[in-house]
Amino acid sequence: VEQAGFTVLVRKAPVRTEEIRGEYLRKHIRKEVCCGADEFVKLYAYLLFEEEVVVHLDMDFVVRKHMDDAIDGLLGDDGARARVPLEDGQVWPGGRVDALITRDWPSVHHPGRKAGFQAGFWVL
């Protein structure tokens, strides 16, 4: 990724399980999401104010196509938006998009079932 011009930041989770104040979440965090409190590492993306675009990728996320049009579309480029397929009935909002999460299509195992959110890919 660094060879492609990206900066890689490795961080520890900002919150340890024992620091979670809510009793239910503290006791069940390992069952709620795949990685427990380690999932909160994604919150660091909100601290990167100096960057125009931040892309957070989980270790198991696979990029299969270039993301230039998607990123340019988020920045408000109508030409790029025309080249980015959206779900049926969805349209781009006007202007710049400040945050986005995608759907987790590989997790869908039943026809007709809607995909959940893919927390491993955030763009801000």
Side-chain angles (χ1 to χ4, degrees):
V1 177
E2 289 174 328
Q3 291 175 350
F6 292 92
T7 301
V8 175
L9 302 174
V10 179
R11 301 284 188 261
K12 292 183 179 184
V15 177
R16 294 189 327 263
T17 301
E18 58 272 14
E19 295 173 323
I20 297 173
R21 292 181 185 165
E23 182 180 356
Y24 179 86
L25 185 58
R26 185 177 54 254
K27 288 182 177 181
H28 296 91
I29 189 70
R30 282 279 168 206
K31 297 176 186 173
E32 294 295 323
V33 290
C34 80
C35 305
D38 291 341
E39 285 286 321
F40 297 134
V41 74
K42 296 169 182 153
L43 298 174
Y44 281 115
Y46 289 103
L47 298 176
L48 300 173
F49 300 115
E50 68 280 359
E51 304 298 334
E52 184 174 24
V53 175
V54 175
V55 178
H56 171 100
L57 299 175
D58 278 351
M59 294 283 295
D60 62 348
F61 190 87
V62 176
V63 178
R64 297 179 56 198
K65 295 181 180 180
H66 69 85
M67 300 188 311
D68 297 341
D69 285 337
I71 292 171
D72 290 343
L74 292 169
L75 296 173
D77 182 325
D78 288 331
R81 289 177 174 190
R83 294 184 294 273
V84 177
L86 300 176
E87 283 186 66
D88 291 339
Q90 299 298 310
V91 296
W92 284 94
R96 178 188 166 105
V97 175
D98 292 321
L100 166 83
I101 56 176
T102 62
R103 294 211 180 265
D104 190 3
W105 293 108
S107 70
V108 178
H109 301 291
H110 304 289
R113 182 175 171 203
K114 196 147 187 124
F117 289 106
Q118 171 49 272
F121 176 55
W122 292 22
V123 180
L124 309 167

